[in-house]
Amino acid sequence: MDKAQAMKALAWVVGAAGVMLGGALAWRVITYWGTTPGATAEYWLLLGSGVGIACLGLIVARGLVKGQQWAVATTLVLGIMLAIVAVTWLASLAVGL
């Protein structure tokens, strides 16, 4: 697999993950909309976050396909952040929290 194919595969992963995460967040907000009285602003904020995550996933994926360095750097930073979250979660499971 050459570099162009690897970038295209990474773009698919980043784009799909962004859309799924953003869509899941938006779906949860829509599902529970109105269950907490007086929290309309919070619902709008979370809904906007979900849509924003999905859009940013697609923008970064497009940048990866074009081989733009900002997209590569963004993907690297997001990967590091995801790894830290995963290690923290596994550590909390190990100590029984």
Side-chain angles (χ1 to χ4, degrees), residues 1-67:
M1 179 182 292
D2 63 344
K3 185 178 178 181
Q5 288 177 330
M7 293 299 271
K8 191 171 183 178
L10 183 61
W12 273 101
V13 170
V14 169
V19 169
M20 287 190 313
L21 181 64
L25 180 60
W27 182 256
R28 291 291 284 191
V29 170
I30 291 169
T31 301
Y32 291 105
W33 192 282
T35 58
T36 305
T40 305
E42 288 83 356
Y43 287 123
W44 279 110
L45 179 66
L46 288 171
L47 184 61
S49 296
V51 171
I53 289 169
C55 290
L56 284 175
L58 292 175
I59 290 169
V60 171
R62 184 171 177 241
L64 286 171
V65 168
K66 291 183 174 188

Side-chain angles (χ1 to χ4, degrees), residues 52-93:
I53 289 169
C55 290
L56 284 175
L58 292 175
I59 290 169
V60 171
R62 184 171 177 241
L64 286 171
V65 168
K66 291 183 174 188
Q68 297 174 341
Q69 291 302 310
W70 65 266
V72 174
T74 302
T75 303
L76 181 63
V77 169
L78 290 174
I80 292 169
M81 290 170 43
L82 183 62
I84 290 169
V85 168
V87 167
T88 305
W89 177 66
L90 290 173
S92 71
L93 288 177

